[in-house]
Amino acid sequence: MTKIATREAYGRALAELGRENSQVVVLDADLSKSTMTRYFAEEFPERFFNMGIAEQSLMGTAAGLALSGKIPFASTFAVFATGRAYDQVRNGIAYPKVNVKIAATHAGLTVGEDGASHQAVEDVALMRAVPNMTVIVPADGEETRQAVRAAAAHQGPVYIRLGRPAVPVIYGEDYQFQIGRAHTLRQGKDAAIIACGIMVAKALEAAAELAAAGLEVMVIDMSTIKPLDREAVLAAAATGVVVTAEEHTIIGGVGSAVAEVLATAKPVPLAMVGIRDTFGESGKPDELLEKYGLTTRDIVAAVKRLTK
């Protein structure tokens, strides 16, 4: 199975974008070898700024560059982009609707051995709650590439959540990403799985297993968490059962966003596969996903539990 990390796709997309648009600039917090902004830095050193380990200054400088007409991509690990620099993101970028793109890599448990201090499991909740912020969680490399281009074309702040390890390829070049539009990967009438990020591939695996058990399950890639595609959620609800899957705490992530729509528009049984109210720990990515209940088997069990 072909795999590529979304952070790798991000770095290559930046370089591609840089060749087409001279207004694109990139800032990094001394992590360019990890965030993969090094591809842009090597090609466009005059438009790359290493801000050092100073995320607050990174966000403030990005805001200033945006106000000067540039399209800045502010890049660092997700835990630092959303936690350490929250005040600058909220008051310096989101409140005045400044045109900054925040690209946050190494999100979720799959940061692995770096442990809880580097595992952002609440970043989507933080960014969802900030007014004016668009939140995108791509599922694979191609979706990441197109999300980066869509973010650059979008006027206003955008948060793009990216991962560390390589993930399966889901989309080909014929795929068309659109901010605010979910993508239905598989039709079904017995239940629906709404997933984002690395959990989309696991949702597809779960649907295949459930098909063998006689259940036809819809799979939706909800790559834009905000603004949420309400029509896609309602289409999922029409099956009578919805399961959400995310590499994030169930408090404030895609599960919560889906629940907000269902509770007000079409209540149906809902199960959330995600991290409970806890931090992660150091370990290998697959071991952590197993321990915290984020496997294909967990999705299958949730669907079967609600469809009994």
Side-chain angles (χ1 to χ4, degrees):
M1 179 183 294
T2 304
K3 291 185 174 183
I4 180 174
T6 51
R7 62 181 172 125
E8 174 79 20
Y10 166 63
R12 295 189 180 281
L14 274 185
E16 179 183 291
L17 196 59
R19 294 180 206 118
E20 302 170 9
N21 191 336
S22 62
Q23 297 305 302
V24 172
V25 298
V26 176
L27 303 87
D28 203 296
D30 207 23
L31 292 166
S32 61
K33 290 182 180 178
S34 297
T35 61
M36 298 298 173
T37 59
R38 63 185 177 87
Y39 294 124
F40 187 94
E42 291 164 0
E43 199 163 340
F44 307 103
E46 75 283 3
R47 287 193 270 147
F48 176 80
F49 306 93
N50 184 353
M51 301 299 297
I53 306 171
E55 287 77 8
Q56 297 96 329
S57 296
L58 180 149
M59 295 301 175
T61 303
L65 287 165
L67 290 169
S68 301
K70 303 298 182 184
I71 305 174
F73 280 78
S75 313
T76 184
F77 288 3
V79 73
F80 305 134
T82 58
R84 186 174 291 167
Y86 180 80
D87 182 60
Q88 285 70 28
V89 170
R90 180 186 184 279
N91 290 330
I93 293 174
Y95 176 43
K97 301 181 184 179
V98 174
N99 195 30
V100 173
K101 321 305 170 186
I102 302 168
T105 68
H106 295 67
L109 291 172
T110 48
V111 175
E113 291 86 342
D114 287 357
S117 64
H118 284 57
Q119 293 165 350
V121 298
E122 74 285 20
D123 56 311
V124 171
L126 287 169
M127 293 297 101
R128 264 192 77 220
V130 177
N132 300 326
M133 184 67 73
T134 294
V135 181
I136 302 172
V137 186
D140 77 345
E142 179 60 25
E143 190 164 55
T144 299
R145 186 182 77 84
Q146 294 194 32
V148 169
R149 300 179 71 85
H154 176 81
Q155 184 64 36
V158 179
Y159 179 73
I160 306 175
R161 187 188 208 232
L162 306 165
R164 181 183 194 177
V167 294
V169 170
I170 294 174
Y171 295 110
E173 293 182 356
D174 58 340
Y175 170 63
Q176 292 187 340
F177 170 84
Q178 185 178 340
I179 291 176
R181 182 71 60 85
H183 188 72
T184 301
L185 289 161
R186 183 177 179 130
Q187 295 291 344
K189 61 179 179 55
D190 297 319
I193 306 169
I194 299 176
C196 65
I198 68 165
M199 299 304 286
V200 174
K202 296 185 186 302
L204 288 169
E205 292 174 359
E209 286 190 26
L210 289 162
L215 289 174
E216 296 179 27
V217 178
M218 177 186 292
V219 176
I220 294 174
D221 172 13
M222 190 64 77
S223 50
T224 305
I225 311 300
K226 183 186 174 187
L228 194 73
D229 188 339
R230 286 177 58 90
E231 294 304 315
V233 175
L234 295 177
T239 67
V241 165
V242 175
V243 172
T244 59
E246 58 192 314
E247 189 198 7
H248 184 273
T249 172
I250 59 171
I251 302 171
V254 70
S256 295
V258 168
E260 290 163 11
V261 174
L262 296 180
T264 55
K266 191 175 179 59
V268 297
L270 168 69
M272 299 181 191
V273 174
I275 303 164
R276 301 293 143 174
D277 188 18
T278 182
F279 287 107
E281 60 187 275
S282 178
K284 295 188 181 304
D286 286 342
E287 293 173 347
L288 293 172
L289 295 177
E290 177 84 20
K291 176 167 182 174
Y292 292 93
L294 277 68
T295 66
T296 299
R297 187 177 66 253
D298 294 303
I299 300 173
V300 169
V303 172
K304 286 185 174 179
R305 187 167 62 250
L306 293 186
T307 53
K308 280 183 178 177

